[in-house]
Amino acid sequence: MTEWSDDRRWVIERGSDAYPADIERLSDAPDRLYVRGDPEVLGRPALAIIGSRVATPYGIACSQLAARVAAEAGIVVVSGGALGCDQAGGREVLDCGGTHVAVLGCGADVVYPRSSSDLLKRTLEQGGAIVSLDTWGTHPRRWAFPRRNRVIAALSRAVFIGEAGLPSGTFSTAEAALELGHEVLAAPGSIFSAQSCGTNYLISEGACCVADQESLEVAISRIFGTLRKTATRAAGASTDDPVERRVLEALIASPMRSDDIARLANTDAMGGVQLIGSLVVRGLISQLPDGRYGASEAALHAQTTFGHNGRDQTRRQG
């Protein structure tokens, strides 16, 4: 258990004015919510950002992009605080000066996972809230997370899934959103990526396909009736070398192994190793757990209107 500077605690009873209306609509609505921080943010328009706990740089970058668009449109971001896409979205909205709500599968005063400690601390410090269905001090239990996921969906007008495999816990959140008439947005991925099988499946079943930044902004505007503040394109992680650019564009499309990169660059194995090393050192690509290489988060963000440097500049100004 960890105590932070903002230790305002609330117990919101079902049926009270403070109890969120869409949680009340759930067929299994909890009798009470345990909240730390500011309970009023639970009534503000919100976008849930969730996804794989073992997200690739692609899934992380998609979640960060969604969080930044939400922040610039004045929309709260809700997540489960889990590893991967959840933490990426939560940290990004806070970095942009926005508001985050974390819904936990344990007590609101229990840090789980441990890697979310800084995220939860900043959530409270920046005027957000931590929510739980369980009483103070309750430790995480596996069966509690599907219930938690339904509350995430109920607190959000739409759910954005940055990356998800099959099977995936994100499906329970998506199902609850649809039950409430809320929209599900999903980022498509490579048909060869196991981490995108879930999102691709959801899109095939009718989820809104977020094919690019523009389609995400259009969806946010349509759902929330608000516009994102205009952003100018900033220089990001990129390269002017034609061979490196060809390799980077291929890796943005799909991760590759070192020998495939060497063939694409029309060089031998040693030349491929040197090329990969140069791209890794400069932060353009990174190695995935399965040994393949993919475009880094910075390189992916450089494809958007704000770019990596733009994100850093916003953080300094905030």
Side-chain angles (χ1 to χ4, degrees):
M1 185 183 300
T2 301
E3 296 296 336
W4 295 308
S5 57
D6 186 339
D7 198 34
R8 292 175 293 168
R9 300 190 180 199
W10 313 86
V11 179
I12 302 177
E13 299 284 346
R14 185 177 181 182
S16 69
D17 291 341
Y19 196 93
D22 278 345
I23 297 183
E24 182 77 58
R25 292 172 55 208
L26 289 172
S27 58
D28 55 349
D31 291 332
R32 57 190 59 86
L33 299 173
Y34 297 85
V35 181
R36 297 183 69 188
D38 184 358
E40 292 187 2
V41 302
L42 305 184
R44 290 172 51 188
L47 173 72
I49 298 180
I50 60 172
S52 174
R53 287 177 170 79
V54 288
T56 67
Y58 172 76
I60 296 294
C62 287
S63 301
Q64 290 171 332
L65 174 62
R68 184 173 184 87
V69 172
E72 293 183 348
I75 297 166
V76 173
V77 166
V78 178
S79 83
L83 291 167
C85 293
D86 289 46
Q87 290 185 1
R91 290 193 175 104
E92 184 70 14
V93 72
L94 293 171
D95 286 344
C96 294
T99 304
H100 178 238
V101 171
V103 185
L104 306 184
C106 55
D109 56 347
V110 174
V111 179
Y112 181 83
R114 297 301 304 179
S115 60
S116 68
S117 178
D118 69 307
L119 172 61
L120 299 179
K121 181 175 184 291
R122 292 179 60 202
T123 294
L124 295 180
E125 291 175 344
Q126 293 185 215
I130 301 174
V131 181
S132 175
L133 285 67
D134 300 303
T135 189
W136 313 112
T138 301
H139 292 287
R141 296 143 299 161
R142 184 178 297 274
W143 56 264
F145 288 91
R147 293 172 59 234
R148 179 277 306 264
N149 292 347
R150 292 174 59 77
V151 170
I152 290 175
L155 286 173
S156 312
R157 290 189 190 175
V159 174
F160 175 86
I161 304 174
E163 190 174 44
L166 282 173
S168 172
T170 60
F171 285 9
S172 61
T173 314
E175 289 169 358
L178 295 174
E179 175 186 322
L180 295 169
H182 297 180
E183 195 153 350
V184 176
L185 316 177
S190 168
I191 62 173
F192 301 107
S193 172
Q195 291 302 319
S196 290
C197 287
T199 43
N200 290 344
Y201 171 77
L202 288 170
I203 291 169
S204 73
E205 292 295 302
C208 176
C209 177
V210 178
D212 50 28
Q213 180 183 335
E214 182 179 8
S215 63
L216 174 61
E217 293 180 349
V218 168
I220 294 295
S221 177
R222 171 174 54 80
I223 295 167
F224 293 91
T226 186
L227 295 176
R228 174 191 179 195
K229 296 177 183 177
T230 304
T232 56
R233 186 176 183 86
S238 59
T239 175
D240 294 326
D241 182 86
V243 174
E244 291 182 344
R245 189 163 58 247
R246 183 166 69 248
V247 168
L248 187 58
E249 288 174 351
L251 294 179
I252 287 174
S254 182
M256 301 170 64
R257 299 197 178 277
S258 58
D259 53 348
D260 295 323
I261 294 175
R263 281 193 291 271
L264 179 63
N266 195 27
T267 186
D268 56 20
M270 181 56 68
V273 169
Q274 293 174 340
L275 173 61
I276 291 170
S278 175
L279 294 173
V280 168
V281 168
R282 287 150 57 201
L284 294 172
I285 68 174
S286 59
Q287 189 170 25
L288 304 180
D290 64 3
R292 295 180 301 165
Y293 291 88
S296 67
E297 296 166 28
L300 291 165
H301 282 302
Q303 310 307 307
T304 69
T305 57
F306 53 86
H308 186 265
N309 289 349
R311 294 170 66 235
D312 289 344
Q313 184 178 22
T314 299
R315 291 171 186 171
R316 286 194 297 271
Q317 292 174 346

